[in-house]
Amino acid sequence: METIYHKLAELLDRGETVALATIVEAKGSVPREVGAKMIIHPLGQHVGTVGGGCGEAEVIRAALDVICTGQPTIVTVDLTEEISLQSTGICGGILRVFVERWPPAEGDVDV
């Protein structure tokens, strides 16, 4: 079974810089638990999930910035807004997601 760590190692071995998003805090009803992870590729593709929907889209946007800047960030995903047709955030909780850049280690890139 391939884990998210295997996929992360595979991407780094290929010389790709990615971002890793990890849920570090959850309050109320949320779609994923603390520790859930998602890898974000510079082209916007991702592996894993931090809950899907609009909240995950916020995390992906932040991750693309983190890949460019190298500055880690915490994204707060508030799913307590009123239910509307434009929002899928109906869980009623709040997630905090730590996003960090993972570049390949120097010397580990296969040429």
Side-chain angles (χ1 to χ4, degrees), residues 3-111:
T3 67
I4 199 160
Y5 299 106
H6 290 110
K7 188 64 179 176
L8 179 60
E10 177 186 317
L11 292 166
L12 297 176
D13 286 348
R14 290 194 323 220
E16 300 194 40
T17 297
V18 297
L20 182 66
T22 306
I23 297 176
V24 294
E25 184 178 354
K27 294 179 183 174
S29 177
V30 293
R32 294 298 313 268
E33 69 284 355
V34 170
K37 297 183 183 311
M38 178 172 70
I39 299 168
I40 301 93
H41 186 273
L43 298 178
Q45 300 163 330
H46 59 91
V47 177
T49 180
V50 291
C54 297
E56 190 160 285
E58 287 179 44
V59 172
I60 291 171
R61 278 192 294 273
L64 294 174
D65 289 342
V66 167
I67 289 170
C68 289
T69 67
Q71 284 294 110
T73 191
I74 292 182
V75 179
T76 300
V77 178
D78 186 346
L79 302 173
T80 62
E81 297 174 6
E82 288 191 33
I83 298 171
S84 73
L85 293 176
Q86 297 174 349
S87 174
T88 58
I90 57 173
C91 293
I94 297 174
L95 293 171
R96 290 176 47 91
V97 183
F98 179 68
V99 183
E100 60 189 323
R101 181 167 76 173
W102 277 69
E106 289 186 31
D108 284 354
V109 178
D110 295 332
V111 181

